[in-house]
Amino acid sequence: MELSNVEGDKYRSYLHEEEEKNTKWRYGAPPNYDVVNKLFEEERTKVWPPGSLEEKVQNLVKTWEMEIFHKERLEDFKTIDTKKYVFSLNGKEALTMEGIQKLGGGYNPQLQTSLPEEFRCYDPDKETSESSHRAFTTTFPRGFALEVLKVYTGPPEIVYKFRHWGYNEGPFKGHAPTGELVEFYGMAIFEVDEEMKIVRVEFFYDRGELLGGLLKGAAMDSSALEAASSCPFLRNTG
């Protein structure tokens, strides 16, 4: 289970290699992960030995996440078999790549909800890939770090426990930042084929653990919100 080495990013492949020179990037250029890598290295709770299964799974997940959020064309994906790939959250109906695109992409598939519309602080039915990405890069200016805490089984069905965290240092959906740590834990299953391409992803976590932490701040008026959100760094992401 190998990912190619990447000059400039220690944890993600398929960013700067020669084979990526014709890749169409959603925000115009490859993303820069220097800021979130710093957060990850300073605050991770596990440091996996080089070459270990845990390190390989962690790098695979980070690379998959990068491609999902930043590559615009399906033919540019290297970690996924886009014709077979399905994604599901908390046991909901699995989405194909076409279904993910219809849902808007970005964070929307990962924040699906059955809540009535009036109770949705973040409504994936109304967000686009760009608006969802802007919302989270604004609220997490240092990025949204990910670490793998434990790998229970290796390929072809990888089962692992993870932690996602960041600091609420920018507004979110009309709420002022608190500066507080926001984190959540979850489980995931990644099924890969004989070529180590991902064909199935299942996530299990409580989205309220994330969103609840972003709604603690006081309500902001529209002028303050516009000023705070006017220049998000879309390429510096977790």
Side-chain angles (χ1 to χ4, degrees):
M1 181 172 151
E2 298 291 341
L3 291 181
S4 56
N5 292 325
V6 182
E7 183 179 350
D9 194 286
K10 294 178 282 186
Y11 309 110
R12 298 165 184 84
S13 299
Y14 313 127
L15 267 168
H16 304 292
E17 294 92 336
E18 179 68 18
E19 62 187 310
E20 300 303 320
K21 65 181 181 180
N22 295 318
T23 294
K24 186 172 183 181
W25 298 99
R26 187 175 301 280
Y27 303 108
N32 184 309
Y33 287 95
D34 290 350
V35 174
V36 75
N37 284 349
K38 182 174 184 292
L39 175 63
F40 166 71
E41 290 169 356
E42 290 175 346
E43 300 194 6
R44 59 185 165 179
T45 62
K46 303 285 187 181
V47 179
W48 300 115
S52 64
L53 175 61
E54 291 84 359
E55 184 203 45
K56 291 176 180 179
V57 169
Q58 186 166 259
N59 290 353
L60 174 66
V61 176
K62 288 176 183 284
T63 302
W64 164 83
E65 197 171 59
M66 176 275 294
E67 292 198 309
I68 285 289
F69 283 104
H70 290 279
K71 290 187 175 180
E72 193 162 326
R73 301 181 305 194
L74 296 183
E75 59 262 36
D76 293 328
F77 283 61
K78 306 296 192 305
T79 60
I80 295 171
D81 183 332
T82 57
K83 294 181 180 179
K84 298 179 181 177
Y85 179 79
V86 291
F87 173 93
S88 68
L89 175 66
N90 295 334
K92 295 181 182 294
E93 182 179 355
L95 298 169
T96 63
M97 291 301 291
E98 182 181 5
I100 290 169
Q101 290 175 330
K102 286 182 178 178
L103 197 57
Y107 286 91
N108 289 342
Q110 300 177 41
L111 290 172
Q112 297 173 73
T113 180
S114 55
L115 282 171
E117 186 173 331
E118 62 268 26
F119 297 120
R120 298 181 184 184
C121 58
Y122 177 96
D123 189 348
D125 293 340
K126 296 180 178 179
E127 300 287 348
T128 65
S129 175
E130 287 72 20
S131 69
S132 70
H133 201 61
R134 185 178 298 111
F136 286 98
T137 52
T138 298
T139 199
F140 292 130
R142 285 192 279 160
F144 196 37
L146 167 78
E147 68 171 333
V148 166
L149 299 174
K150 185 175 180 64
V151 177
Y152 297 93
T153 62
E157 190 172 69
I158 303 165
V159 180
Y160 67 93
K161 180 181 180 181
F162 67 90
R163 171 184 174 238
H164 240 317
W165 79 98
Y167 286 86
N168 176 213
E169 296 168 327
F172 182 79
K173 296 298 179 184
H175 290 265
T178 64
E180 294 180 1
L181 170 69
V182 177
E183 65 182 340
F184 71 92
Y185 296 79
M187 298 285 295
I189 302 169
F190 274 42
E191 183 183 346
V192 297
D193 63 15
E194 61 277 0
E195 297 179 355
M196 289 307 299
K197 288 185 178 291
I198 300 165
V199 295
R200 175 172 62 94
V201 168
E202 294 186 54
F203 274 106
F204 300 89
Y205 56 82
D206 180 0
R207 78 175 210 145
E209 292 296 310
L210 166 63
L211 297 176
L214 300 178
L215 301 175
K216 292 181 179 179
M220 301 175 67
D221 62 43
S222 58
S223 59
L225 184 62
E226 183 176 353
S229 305
S230 60
C231 189
F233 294 94
L234 290 175
R235 286 186 286 167
N236 298 327
T237 71

